[in-house]
Amino acid sequence: MKNYLTLIAIFLLVACKSETKENNSITAENKTKKDNAKSSNSSADYSSLFYDYNCDVSSADLAKILQIPASDISAQTSESPNECLFKIKGFGEGHDDTGTTWRLMSVPSSKGQSKKDIAKLLKDKAELPSGILMGRDIVLADAGDCYIASQPKRGKVRLLNENYDSFIVITYQTKGSVKGRTEAQHDQLNLKAKDLANYLVATHKK
């Protein structure tokens, strides 16, 4: 009888340990899934940038960001409240001898489209040779939760976040559309547009 009771006690102890181990494993697995979901979709609040953007970059701000003299930048009048428009000198004379048109604005889109664009750009970057990409690139913004996608041939940089139904576009014109712009100057503008994108993320992050 004593041996029988001992066997029952051992059986119950083993079963209890097994159930506890299984529950711990399920809990850990669920936590991992939640953490992965959070890391792929988490983002700070950028509503003031992607949803309610009004031009909040002055000529003085832009001069500091682009690291060029303030005298080389002149603000232009735009008919859209969500668009910043400037003329900048030092990167080609332009066909009207006024320099480069620098534009920053919010563009309506959708969360699904932004997610699709980010995935495609990351896939292309990983799989396609540089010759086919022709300078196209996508990188995480310094803040870590927005993407900066550049298209130098089109003179364009986009700021993307899959949690918002719009994106920010920065344009500095194509090289061929600006008289006197060199390849080196065009490359500089691409880098400066990325600097502006990082500035926008940093200043609007909440």
Side-chain angles (χ1 to χ4, degrees):
M1 182 68 177
K2 184 177 181 181
N3 290 340
Y4 179 72
L5 291 175
T6 301
L7 286 173
I8 292 176
I10 292 173
F11 174 78
L12 290 174
L13 181 62
V14 170
C16 182
K17 285 185 177 180
S18 176
E19 183 178 356
T20 300
K21 184 177 180 181
E22 182 179 353
N23 287 338
N24 288 341
S25 176
I26 292 173
T27 300
E29 182 180 352
N30 288 338
K31 183 178 185 303
T32 299
K33 287 180 179 179
K34 288 181 180 179
D35 288 345
N36 286 341
K38 184 178 180 182
S39 65
S40 63
N41 295 307
S42 62
S43 171
D45 182 359
Y46 294 106
S47 299
S48 61
L49 177 61
F50 290 102
Y51 283 153
D52 305 312
Y53 186 70
N54 287 301
C55 181
D56 61 350
V57 179
S58 67
S59 296
D61 293 330
L62 191 61
K64 290 179 182 179
I65 298 163
L66 304 188
Q67 297 183 329
I68 61 177
S71 58
D72 286 347
I73 301 178
S74 60
Q76 306 292 298
T77 301
S78 173
E79 296 180 359
S80 175
N82 68 336
E83 178 185 54
C84 298
L85 196 59
F86 302 92
K87 282 285 188 177
I88 62 174
K89 298 178 181 178
F91 299 91
E93 297 83 9
H95 294 296
D96 53 1
D97 294 323
T98 59
T100 294
T101 299
W102 184 282
R103 191 186 308 269
L104 157 66
M105 65 183 299
S106 172
V107 178
S109 183
S110 69
K111 295 176 185 178
Q113 186 60 49
S114 291
K115 186 174 183 178
K116 181 179 178 181
D117 288 347
I118 291 169
K120 183 180 187 307
L121 290 165
L122 289 172
K123 183 174 183 291
D124 287 349
K125 181 176 180 177
E127 298 178 357
L128 296 179
S130 59
I132 293 178
L133 288 173
M134 299 177 69
R136 283 188 293 123
D137 193 17
I138 182 169
V139 296
L140 270 175
D142 292 343
D145 52 4
C146 293
Y147 282 95
I148 300 173
S150 56
Q151 294 176 277
K153 292 295 181 183
R154 294 189 178 184
K156 179 169 71 174
V157 163
R158 286 183 296 161
L159 186 55
L160 302 160
N161 186 309
E162 65 183 59
N163 296 304
Y164 293 91
D165 292 320
S166 62
F167 62 89
I168 298 296
V169 64
I170 301 165
T171 61
Y172 48 92
Q173 297 187 265
T174 63
K175 179 180 176 295
S177 68
V178 181
K179 184 177 67 177
R181 182 185 292 176
T182 66
E183 195 70 41
Q185 289 172 335
H186 194 70
D187 291 342
Q188 287 176 5
L189 287 174
N190 182 48
L191 295 175
K192 292 179 185 300
K194 292 178 183 178
D195 289 341
L196 176 56
N198 272 312
Y199 169 84
L200 292 171
V201 172
T203 54
H204 285 271
K205 184 174 184 177
K206 296 178 182 178

